[in-house]
Amino acid sequence: HRSSQDELTQAEIVAIEEAIEADVDADVGDEEDDGGPVSMAPRDRSNPIHSYTEDITQMDNDELANPDTIPGWDLIHSPPRKFPRGALVGKVVSDKMQKTVSVAVDRYRVIPKLRIRRRYTRKFMAHDEDELCQMGDLVMIVPCQRLSRHKHFMVREIIRAKGAL
């Protein structure tokens, strides 16, 4: 149990709250990307009901793919992430199976006492529907519904082909 000396005074509580708010305000402008939602410009909240008059049937694929030209894009509550949740990047080490590749994902851990960085490698089976991946490709895999006993990832994109720089 706490004694009366351990309790915070009202002034200390206010000072702590102000420090937390200042810290949160300082974090808003950080340039580091943590993989969370993309920050958007603040919007005008005076009119709660929004409507747009642009006809999206007349837009071509390039305009629809660009978030800046999509009408109503700024109205989305949680914009998509830059890096999908749970995504891993690794190298294809086997493509001998049908519609499946084996991807080796390297993770590094620093051992402070020895001042070294140790590499841990784990292999994941990933679904490759069109069989586009080849040995040595650098790919991004994302978690999906379990497809078989060992396969619960899908190839999202080929980041760098083996021969490409």
Side-chain angles (χ1 to χ4, degrees):
H1 81 303
R2 297 178 61 152
S3 67
S4 60
Q5 294 175 349
D6 291 341
E7 294 180 16
L8 297 174
T9 64
Q10 186 65 28
E12 292 172 332
I13 293 172
V14 171
I16 291 171
E17 289 175 352
E18 289 176 357
I20 291 172
E21 287 178 14
D23 189 35
V24 168
D25 292 341
D27 289 344
V28 171
D30 283 350
E31 295 298 323
E32 291 184 30
D33 182 20
D34 62 349
V38 180
S39 62
M40 303 299 278
R43 65 173 200 235
D44 180 27
R45 296 181 187 271
S46 60
N47 185 6
I49 300 174
H50 299 280
S51 63
Y52 55 89
T53 57
E54 297 181 40
D55 186 17
I56 60 171
T57 58
Q58 304 298 325
M59 299 175 77
D60 62 349
N61 286 340
D62 293 332
E63 291 174 336
L64 289 172
N66 185 0
D68 297 332
T69 59
I70 298 175
W73 180 260
D74 58 330
L75 306 178
I76 295 177
H77 295 295
S78 59
R81 297 173 163 269
K82 291 180 183 175
F83 200 68
R85 185 186 310 270
L88 301 170
V89 175
K91 189 174 281 195
V92 176
V93 292
S94 173
D95 61 349
K96 296 180 180 174
M97 298 163 278
Q98 296 177 359
K99 296 189 177 186
T100 304
V101 292
S102 182
V103 179
V105 176
D106 290 337
R107 290 192 171 129
Y108 295 90
R109 184 171 179 197
V110 174
I111 301 172
K113 186 174 183 179
L114 302 176
R115 294 184 179 177
I116 60 170
R117 190 173 68 154
R118 176 164 281 177
R119 182 178 67 194
Y120 297 92
T121 304
R122 181 164 176 202
K123 290 196 288 187
F124 295 96
M125 300 283 202
H127 184 67
D128 182 19
E129 180 66 36
D130 300 324
E131 298 187 4
L132 297 173
C133 297
Q134 297 176 351
M135 289 266 300
D137 289 352
L138 190 68
V139 296
M140 178 191 294
I141 57 175
V142 293
C144 66
Q145 183 178 354
R146 189 174 178 146
L147 300 171
S148 69
R149 183 178 171 201
H150 297 291
K151 192 162 67 166
H152 50 272
F153 280 91
M154 291 182 72
V155 175
R156 165 96 183 245
E157 65 176 301
I158 299 174
I159 297 173
R160 187 175 66 229
K162 181 181 179 181
L165 291 177

